[in-house]
Amino acid sequence: MVGRERVVHLLKQLQHAACRCPAHSNTFHQGAGGSVCTVRKTDYAFEMASSNIRYGGGVSREIGMDLQNLRAQNVCLMTDKKLSLLPPVRAVLESLDKNRVKYKVYDNVRVEPTDASFKDAIAFAKSNSFDVFVAVGGGSVIDTCKAANLYSCHPDADFLDFVNAPIGKGKPITGALKPLIAVPTTAGTGSETTGVAIFDFEPLKAKTGIASRAIRPTLGIVDPLHTLSMPESVAANSGFDVLCHALESYTALPYDQRSPCPPNPLHRPAYQGSNPISDVWSRHALQVVAKYMKRAVRDPEDLEARSSMHLASVFAGIGFGNAGVHLCHGMSYPIAGNVKTHMAKGYGVEHPLVPHGLSVVLTAPAVFNFTAPMCPERHLEAAEILGADVRQVKREDAGPVLADTLRNFLFELQVEDGLGALGYGSDDVPALVKGTVPQERVTKLSPRPHTEEDLSQLFEASMKIY
C-alpha cells in the first residue's frame, strides 16, 4: 500500500512539474509569460509547407480560368514597369480578358523593393476591394504582392507588426488572406513557393522581411516560356540565388538543433533548419544547377536549360522555404542595402543596384569555407555535385575544396571579382557587419556559431574572390 501511494504521489508531482510541450506530455508549464517549454530547449519536429505548383510551357493561358474558378470579382495584378511591356504580362492579361475577369494593374513595383515601395503597393491594395491577387514577375513583384495582400487584409496593423524581429515585432499572422496566384518570370527566388517577402528597410540600410506560411501564394504558375525574356545577366544572378538557396538549406543547422522549442506549433518558424524532406529538394536543385545553369546563361534560346533552371528554382524554393538559408543571405542584405554606385546590367533600372543573387553569391566561397567543419560530408557532397573530384579529399579539407569549386564556377560565368568590384572596401566592413547582425532569422541557422569578428573576416575575404 505504501508503494502504491508513493507512485501516486510521484505521478502527481510530475503532472505539476512537466513541460506542456507536445514533445513530452499534454501539459504546459504556466509561467508569468504564458506557455513556455521548460524541459526541451531545441525543437523536435519540422513541418513541410509549399504552394501548389503548376508547370508547363504556355500554362499562363490557364490563369483566367483559375480566376473564374475562384469566382474572382475584382483582381489586383501586380508587376513592374519593364515587365508590363513584355510577353509574360501580355499573356496573363490576354487570359484575363478572354475569360472576362475584372482587374486593375499595379505596375509600380520596385526592383529590390523597399519599405516605401511596399507601402505604396499596400496603399493601392487598400484603396480597392480586391478579392484575388496575381503577381507576374520575379521575386520583387511576388514579395510585394504578398505584402499588399497581407496588409490589405489587416488594415489596422502597423507596418512593423509582421516584420521579422528584431527590426519589427514579428507578430504571428492569424487572419485569413485572399488567394494569391504567382507567375514567376525569373528562375531564381522561388518566391512562388515560400511564405517570405523581403525588402530593404531604408532607415537601417539593410534588408529584412516578413516570414509566415500564411503569406505563401495559393498557386504558383511556372511557365518556362517566360524565362526566354531574361537577359543573360538576369539569368546568371537568378541562377546564383538558386545555387545559394540549395547550398545554404542543405548545410543549415539541423532542425532538431534549432532553438527555442516552440510552445505552440503556431510559433514554429517557416525556416526550421535542414531536415530530411528539404534535403531532397535542395540536393536535386543543386544537381540541376550544376548541369544546366551555364547553358541557361550563355544561350537564352536554350529552352531545355532555361526550363530546367525554372524548375530548379521551384525545387530550391521548397527546400529553403522550409529549411531556411543562413550566412550568405544574411550577409547579402547589407551588401544590397548599402550599394553606392554599382549599376546592374539588364534590369532596366536607373538607380544603383546590386541584384539579390549577386549579393548572395559573392560571399559564398568564404562562407562555405567557414561552415564546412560543422558538416564536412555535406560540403564535400556539394562540391562533388558541382564537379569536384573528392575521392581523395580529407574531411578537414571540405571547406577549401568547396570554396575553390565555387570560385571556378563563378569565374566561368564571369562574375564580378568580389565586393571590391561593387565599390566596397575595408572601410565599409563595419557597416556591412552592422547590417548583418539584425538578420537573426537566417544567420542563426548557420551550422557554425559566429561572432561579429567572424563576420568581419568573411566580408574581408569576399572583397576579392579570384
Side-chain angles (χ1 to χ4, degrees):
M1 187 70 176
V2 174
R4 183 173 182 276
E5 290 177 350
R6 175 66 174 161
V7 170
V8 171
H9 176 68
L10 287 171
L11 287 172
K12 287 182 177 179
Q13 283 187 315
L14 287 170
Q15 182 179 20
H16 290 296
C19 166
R20 299 190 94 175
C21 167
H24 302 100
S25 67
N26 294 322
T27 58
F28 283 97
H29 171 69
Q30 297 293 336
S35 301
V36 179
C37 175
T38 59
V39 176
R40 186 167 182 119
K41 300 302 181 184
T42 58
D43 209 339
Y44 69 100
F46 66 91
E47 296 184 21
M48 198 68 197
S50 177
S51 306
N52 292 328
I53 297 295
R54 182 184 304 148
Y55 173 88
V59 75
S60 297
R61 60 177 170 263
E62 295 185 354
I63 192 169
M65 291 181 279
D66 289 315
L67 294 168
Q68 275 195 340
N69 294 338
L70 288 169
R71 298 179 181 177
Q73 299 298 310
N74 190 25
V75 173
C76 175
L77 188 147
M78 291 198 165
T79 188
D80 64 49
K81 290 193 181 298
K82 183 177 180 180
L83 269 170
S84 66
L85 305 173
L86 295 178
V89 172
R90 287 202 300 267
V92 171
L93 291 179
E94 286 173 4
S95 181
L96 268 59
D97 290 334
K98 180 180 179 180
N99 290 276
R100 298 179 182 178
V101 175
K102 180 184 176 183
Y103 62 87
K104 290 184 179 179
V105 175
Y106 177 87
D107 65 358
N108 203 34
V109 170
R110 189 181 193 273
V111 177
E112 302 296 338
T114 64
D115 52 321
S117 71
F118 263 22
K119 290 174 183 176
D120 188 72
I122 291 165
F124 178 83
K126 284 183 175 180
S127 65
N128 297 273
S129 298
F130 296 121
D131 54 358
V132 181
F133 288 80
V134 174
V136 186
S140 296
V141 172
I142 299 173
D143 287 4
T144 299
C145 199
K146 291 174 183 175
N149 186 11
L150 169 62
Y151 287 95
S152 66
C153 292
H154 295 79
D156 297 326
D158 180 76
F159 180 72
L160 290 178
D161 280 354
F162 303 121
V163 173
N164 299 323
I167 292 175
K169 299 176 184 177
K171 291 183 178 180
I173 299 168
T174 56
L177 273 63
K178 302 293 172 57
L180 191 162
I181 299 177
V183 186
T185 58
T186 60
T189 68
S191 188
E192 67 276 6
T193 71
T194 71
V196 180
I198 302 298
F199 65 94
D200 284 312
F201 189 61
E202 293 181 298
L204 294 181
K205 292 186 177 180
K207 283 188 186 289
T208 183
I210 303 163
S212 170
R213 295 179 185 87
I215 67 172
R216 71 179 186 271
T218 311
L219 172 65
I221 293 183
V222 182
D223 188 338
L225 298 181
H226 295 336
T227 64
L228 298 177
S229 62
M230 279 195 299
E232 178 179 319
S233 58
V234 178
N237 292 326
S238 299
F240 293 139
D241 203 16
V242 178
L243 171 65
C244 288
H245 284 159
L247 283 172
E248 290 175 70
S249 56
Y250 192 55
T251 59
L253 186 76
Y255 75 94
D256 57 358
Q257 295 180 27
R258 181 188 52 75
S259 61
C261 177
N264 186 307
L266 179 66
H267 300 141
R268 182 167 285 116
Y271 286 2
Q272 304 160 91
S274 61
N275 60 77
I277 298 179
S278 284
D279 286 350
V280 174
W281 294 95
S282 300
R283 190 189 299 111
H284 186 66
L286 194 60
Q287 291 168 344
V288 177
V289 168
K291 184 175 181 180
Y292 290 106
M293 182 173 166
K294 293 173 186 176
R295 282 174 49 185
V297 171
R298 291 167 177 163
D299 183 2
E301 301 301 320
D302 189 338
L303 183 57
E304 180 188 16
R306 291 217 164 182
S307 298
S308 296
M309 285 300 297
H310 213 23
L311 268 182
S313 176
V314 175
F315 298 151
I318 296 172
F320 92 85
N322 291 279
V325 287
H326 53 84
L327 288 178
C328 290
H329 271 75
M331 295 169 66
S332 79
Y333 298 145
I335 292 171
N338 286 275
V339 61
K340 301 172 185 176
T341 59
H342 185 265
M343 304 297 289
K345 297 178 181 178
Y347 285 81
V349 297
E350 298 179 356
H351 55 81
L353 172 70
V354 179
H356 175 63
L358 179 62
S359 70
V360 169
V361 82
L362 290 181
T363 62
V367 163
F368 292 108
N369 185 46
F370 174 78
T371 58
M374 307 309 293
C375 45
E377 294 84 0
R378 290 191 174 221
H379 287 67
L380 282 176
E381 184 181 1
E384 184 175 30
I385 291 172
L386 291 173
D389 183 351
V390 301
R391 288 174 293 181
Q392 304 298 322
V393 177
K394 298 178 181 179
R395 294 172 75 255
E396 56 265 32
D397 294 325
V401 169
L402 179 54
D404 285 343
T405 304
L406 287 168
R407 287 190 189 96
N408 291 333
F409 194 88
L410 301 184
F411 181 77
E412 289 186 32
L413 288 167
Q414 300 180 321
V415 178
E416 287 89 336
D417 189 8
L419 300 180
L422 305 185
Y424 289 109
S426 295
D427 291 345
D428 298 305
V429 169
L432 295 173
V433 171
K434 182 180 179 181
T436 303
V437 170
Q439 311 302 330
E440 296 176 356
R441 178 181 63 91
V442 293
T443 57
K444 70 180 181 181
L445 289 173
S446 168
R448 181 176 175 179
H450 54 279
T451 63
E452 290 189 24
E453 179 59 30
D454 291 325
L455 293 174
S456 295
Q457 292 176 5
L458 290 173
F459 278 119
E460 286 284 5
S462 303
M463 287 295 168
K464 186 174 178 62
I465 56 179
Y466 304 133

